[in-house]
Each structure stands twice: as structure tokens, then as C-alpha cells.
Amino acid sequence: MGKGTRMWWVAFLVAVGLTAAACGGQAADDQAGPPPADGESPAVETLEAGVLTVGMDVPYPPFEFREGGEVVGLDVDLANEIADRLGLQAEFIDTDFDTIFTQLAAGRFDVVVSATTITPEREQEVNFTQPYYRAQQTLAVQAGSDITGVDDLGAEHVVAVQRGTTGELWAEQNVAPQGVQLRTFVQTPDLYTALEAGQVDGVINDEPNALQEIEAREGLEIVETIDTGENYGIAVNPANEALLEEVDRILGEIIEDGTYEQIYSKYEDLPPGGSVVAAS
């Protein structure tokens, strides 16, 4: 084969390669799914085309729990409504709460909708929308206990908290200095199981979840509600500012147009004062 022939052959192969690459790009676009019905591009990009990937720690009733094999709850309803208004399908990924923000920042989820308190520490790692729920902490004990409130806790007591939560942080700052031993658990039901078994003397945890757990178990009671001024918000992947703007805008619409109250009213066991609408 002569030099001129070799050059022609190389040029031919390059042309074929470019054509194949162009065809390959079109195939990838086809796999991403059809464009919206109105022909416009999606308002935001997400980790997976057409999907809003939601990180969530299940179970945490009434915000997220399983019913008949399906994940349901206030947070689930809220995430589905937001996804629908974005023209997306919500997909929920169950994960431990103590690593949920690290995973969000690493790009495993688009958002976290999981009874998540907005704190300055968390805002350094991820972004947050406006609040959608006002929360308090509670102290739960066995019925008939001589512990009637936080002030009764001392060095002889062990208190259960969920790892990575604001309940754990509050306990570290307010009862651990009194000598109280803290025992951490990954899942909230385990806090109350330990209390039932007498393995701990009390549980410090968010009020709405505490009410659900106490209602479902005999021999436990809440002896103090602790106003910590907490607000739940939706955490958003910090690399996706456009998604933050859209989710925050849509959440505001959901609150303003009455959809939020319709969702909230489905969960009758939620304590009074938690709705941002009722509290405003």
C-alpha cells in the first residue's frame, strides 16, 4: 500500500468514526426519554433524566414510613407533589440519617426530604429551601418513672438519641453536661424499643415521631416537650443551584395555594403548631 493510499484510508476511517460518534450521541439522547409534551426543555437538570432522586430515612412516621410495602407519609406526599410540578417522577432511596447530608453533597440524591431540621452546620454542607414544618423535641420515659422532666436527669441515667440528629445535638449540649450518658441508635424505633426494655431511662427525639411511637407502644409516656425553635426544610444538592431555586419556588406555591394544608391535614396525629401555615 502506497503513502497516498494510506493517507486516503486514514481520512476515510476518521470520517467513519465521526459519523459513528454522532449516531452514538443521538442514541444516548433517545435513551434519556422523550422531550416534554410542550416541546420545551426541562426547567432543571437532575441526576437522572425525568427523575427526582429523593434521599429519605425510613421509618420516621408520620413523615416517612411503610404501609403495605409502600413508602408513605407527609414528606413522601410533599416530594411527589414537587416532583410532579417539575415534570419529574420522584424516586425514593432509603438511607441512614447520620450520613444523609454527606451523601447528598456527594451527589447520590437530588434532594433530601426527611424531617430535616435546617441548621447552620448543615447549611455549610448542603443547601436548604424555606421551612415547611416547625418542630420541637420531647423527653419520653417509662410510665411511672420518677423522671418528670429534663431537670430530673443525672449521672445515673442513660438517654437514647438518634445518631446525626438535632435531638442528639441538643442532648449533648443540655443533658450530657449534667453527667447523663447518651446512647445513640441509627433508627428511631430502636430508641423506644430500648426504653421499653429498660435499657435506657429516656428518649430525646422530635415531637411528631415521638407521639407516633408512644401511641403504638404501651407503658411509655412523654413527660416534657422542649421548644428548640427548629424548622424542617428540604435539603438540595449544593452543586445544583437551579434545582434549589425551583424546588423552593414550588414549595412556596404549594404552601400558598393550599396544597400543603391538604397534605398536612391527612396526618391527624401531627401536633398542633407544626404547620408553617397555622404558625404564621
Side-chain angles (χ1 to χ4, degrees):
M1 186 180 294
K3 182 177 179 181
T5 304
R6 287 198 302 270
M7 292 181 65
W8 176 86
W9 185 247
V10 169
F12 173 77
L13 290 177
V14 170
V16 171
L18 289 174
T19 303
C23 293
Q26 182 63 49
D29 290 341
D30 292 343
Q31 289 173 4
D38 59 7
E40 296 181 0
S41 300
V44 293
E45 293 184 1
T46 53
L47 296 172
E48 181 181 347
V51 175
L52 183 70
T53 305
V54 182
M56 182 172 283
D57 178 25
V58 186
Y60 199 83
F63 292 92
E64 40 266 343
F65 58 100
R66 288 183 175 83
E67 191 173 79
E70 182 182 0
V71 179
V72 297
L74 186 149
D75 281 341
V76 176
D77 291 345
L78 191 60
N80 278 326
E81 182 67 24
I82 290 170
D84 185 63
R85 295 193 187 196
L86 283 170
L88 303 172
Q89 179 74 37
E91 179 179 295
F92 300 96
I93 298 180
D94 187 6
T95 192
D96 292 341
F97 196 82
D98 62 334
T99 60
I100 203 166
F101 302 109
T102 302
Q103 293 182 68
L104 176 62
R108 187 183 181 199
F109 323 117
D110 293 304
V111 297
V112 165
V113 191
S114 191
T116 299
T117 299
I118 303 168
T119 70
E121 294 78 16
R122 291 171 180 170
E123 286 180 313
Q124 292 178 9
E125 188 172 15
V126 299
N127 291 328
F128 279 96
T129 64
Q130 62 190 282
Y132 68 90
Y133 184 82
R134 302 176 188 273
Q136 302 183 101
Q137 297 292 325
T138 57
L139 172 63
V141 299
Q142 287 189 352
S145 169
D146 58 359
I147 300 171
T148 61
V150 171
D151 290 342
D152 292 331
L153 296 172
E156 69 276 21
H157 297 124
V158 180
V159 169
V161 293
Q162 185 184 17
R163 188 180 306 158
T165 64
T166 51
E168 179 187 24
L169 179 62
W170 189 90
E172 288 175 345
Q173 295 175 343
N174 293 274
V175 300
Q178 301 169 202
V180 177
Q181 303 173 61
L182 300 182
R183 183 175 174 187
T184 62
F185 293 84
V186 174
Q187 298 289 336
T188 53
D190 296 335
L191 309 179
Y192 299 93
T193 300
L195 182 58
E196 284 181 312
Q199 297 170 353
V200 298
D201 302 293
V203 169
I204 291 177
N205 188 37
D206 285 13
E207 181 184 22
N209 180 246
L211 290 170
Q212 292 274 305
E213 292 289 349
I214 295 299
E215 178 69 23
R217 303 168 187 260
E218 293 184 5
L220 304 182
E221 63 179 349
I222 293 172
V223 292
E224 184 173 355
T225 299
I226 308 160
D227 186 359
T228 51
E230 296 180 42
N231 290 297
Y232 292 169
I234 296 172
V236 182
N237 185 337
N240 198 337
E241 290 284 347
L243 181 61
L244 171 66
E245 292 178 9
E246 281 298 291
V247 171
D248 190 59
R249 178 185 65 79
I250 290 172
L251 177 58
E253 288 180 355
I254 289 170
I255 293 171
E256 288 293 324
D257 67 19
T259 304
Y260 173 80
E261 276 299 277
Q262 292 176 10
I263 294 172
Y264 191 93
S265 64
K266 289 172 56 178
Y267 302 94
E268 299 177 353
D269 293 332
L270 282 167
S275 169
V276 292
V277 174
S280 61

